[in-house]
Amino acid sequence: MSYCRQEGKDRIIFATKEDHETPSSAELVADDPDDPYEEQGLILPNGDINWNCPCLGGMASGPCGEQFKSAFSCFHYSTEEIKGSDCVDQFRAMQECMQKYPDLYPQEDENEEKSSKDLETTSEEASAAREEEGSS
């Protein structure tokens, strides 16, 4: 038998196997192309940045979200000959913030070092295997 109970702000619903065997009666609502919350991609039709785009990976809402938004906005709207060359200060501020949270924002060079060591090991193993095959 299924039932519900309230614990503080949470509503807990227990469902039985029989509850799940009954087909859902939910009806889908047609997509509204003018829905401002609909995922539109990174750049909205009006040219603004869609900060809710999953492609940003939560960067706009993390502890360095404001610095990220400032740097990304500067780059997006930059009209310099070398796009974004006028945004160095914003990117520097973002980088400094990210360095304060190494668990959330791992440094790429650490990953690159690990990847290059893995590649070296793999290529050494492959060379050794070829040498063994050649001597047999």
Side-chain angles (χ1 to χ4, degrees):
M1 169 178 237
S2 60
Y3 70 95
C4 296
R5 75 173 190 231
Q6 196 78 26
E7 285 189 12
K9 65 175 181 56
D10 300 317
R11 183 174 180 199
I12 302 170
I13 302 172
F14 292 91
T16 64
K17 181 178 179 183
E18 292 78 23
D19 291 331
H20 289 286
E21 289 174 347
T22 308
S24 172
S25 60
E27 293 182 25
L28 298 177
V29 178
D31 290 336
D32 179 2
D34 298 323
D35 181 0
Y37 299 103
E38 181 68 28
E39 294 178 23
Q40 301 282 335
L42 180 58
I43 307 302
L44 297 171
N46 67 0
D48 289 344
I49 299 168
N50 178 8
W51 296 115
N52 295 321
C53 181
C55 62
L56 293 176
M59 291 289 294
S61 60
C64 299
E66 290 306 311
Q67 292 85 345
F68 174 79
K69 286 180 180 181
S70 174
F72 195 86
S73 294
C74 181
F75 182 82
H76 177 65
Y77 296 112
S78 176
T79 56
E80 292 296 312
E81 183 67 30
I82 299 175
K83 188 168 180 83
S85 61
D86 53 334
C87 305
V88 173
D89 292 337
Q90 289 89 336
F91 278 99
R92 184 175 293 125
M94 181 183 77
Q95 182 67 26
E96 288 171 359
C97 179
M98 293 170 99
Q99 288 173 345
K100 294 176 186 174
Y101 302 94
D103 292 342
L104 293 174
Y105 307 104
Q107 298 296 309
E108 279 189 28
D109 52 28
E110 291 174 7
N111 295 336
E112 289 173 11
E113 286 175 20
K114 183 179 179 185
S115 296
S116 65
K117 286 180 183 176
D118 290 345
L119 285 173
E120 287 173 16
T121 303
T122 304
S123 96
E124 287 171 7
E125 289 170 355
S127 296
R130 280 193 298 268
E131 288 175 14
E132 285 180 20
E133 287 175 4
S135 65
S136 306

